[in-house]
Amino acid sequence: MLTFAAASLVLIMIPGPDQALITRNALAGGRRAGLLTMVGGMLGLSVHVGAAVLGISALLLASATAFAVLKVAGAAYLVWMGIATLRGARHTMKENAEGDGAGDQEARGGKHLRHGFLSNALNPKVALFFVTFLPQFLPSNSVLPKALLLSLVFAVIYVLWFSTYVFTVDRLGTWLRRPRVRARIEQVTGLLLIGFAARLAFQSP
C-alpha cells in the first residue's frame, strides 16, 4: 500500500494537463475555480476507475480504432483549451483594467467543473494507468475490493495534492494575478496544453 501511495503521488505530481488547467482556472477565477476544476478531474478519474474495474478500459485499449478515437478527441480538446488560454493572455491586461471579473465566477462554476472532467475523461493515458499500473498491486483473489480500495487511495492523494496546490496558488494570487505575470503564466500554460495534446496525439496504442 505504501509503495502504491508513493508511486501514485509521484505520478500525480508530474506536470500534466490537470495541473495546467487547475493553474489556469485558479488564476482566472480564484480558489473556488481551481477546486471545482480539481473536482471535475476527480469525476473524470472515476469514469476510468469504473471502466477499468468492469474491464471496459482493457477492451478499449485492445482496440486500435477505439484508442485512436479517444486519443484524437482528447488531443483536440487540449488544443482548444490551449488556444483559448493563449487568446486569454492577450486580453488579460484589458480585462484587468475593466475589472477582475469576480462577478461571473458563480456562473462559470459548471465550466470549470467541465474543464477538469473532460481533461481526464478524454485522456486515454489515464485509462492506460488504471489497466497497467493498478493491477500490479492487486492480489490473485479479492481483486474487486482491493481495486476499489487502491482507487480510493489514489483519489485521496489526488485531492490532497491539488487542494494544497490550489491554496498555494491562491495565497500567491496577488502577485500571480498581476497583469504581466498572469499573461506570461497563461502563455506558458497555453503552450503546455498544446504540447500535452501533441504528445497525446502521438501516443502509440
Side-chain angles (χ1 to χ4, degrees), residues 43-155:
L43 294 176
L45 287 175
S46 68
V47 171
H48 290 292
V49 170
V53 170
L54 295 175
I56 297 175
S57 289
L59 294 175
L60 174 67
L61 294 172
S63 169
T65 301
F67 183 92
V69 170
L70 186 60
K71 179 177 65 174
V72 170
Y77 175 74
L78 290 178
V79 168
W80 179 76
M81 286 297 303
I83 293 175
T85 303
L86 290 173
R87 291 178 60 188
R90 294 189 300 175
H91 297 292
T92 294
M93 295 290 291
K94 183 175 69 173
E95 290 175 356
N96 185 77
E98 295 174 352
D100 59 9
D104 66 345
Q105 287 185 28
E106 190 70 27
R108 291 187 174 186
K111 183 177 181 180
H112 297 140
L113 199 68
R114 186 170 67 253
H115 286 170
F117 175 78
L118 292 177
S119 174
N120 277 334
L122 294 177
N123 190 347
K125 286 189 175 182
V126 180
L128 188 64
F129 165 79
F130 281 107
V131 296
T132 58
F133 180 73
L134 190 63
Q136 299 178 47
F137 298 88
L138 297 177
S140 57
N141 57 344
S142 302
V143 172
L144 181 57
K146 189 63 177 294
L148 293 176
L149 176 60
L150 292 180
S151 299
L152 178 61
V153 170
F154 186 88

Side-chain angles (χ1 to χ4, degrees), residues 174-195:
T174 301
W175 179 74
L176 293 175
R177 291 190 184 93
R178 291 177 180 177
R180 289 183 181 275
V181 176
R182 180 180 164 188
R184 291 291 180 269
I185 292 176
E186 288 177 334
Q187 289 170 352
V188 172
T189 301
L191 292 174
L192 284 174
L193 288 171
I194 294 174

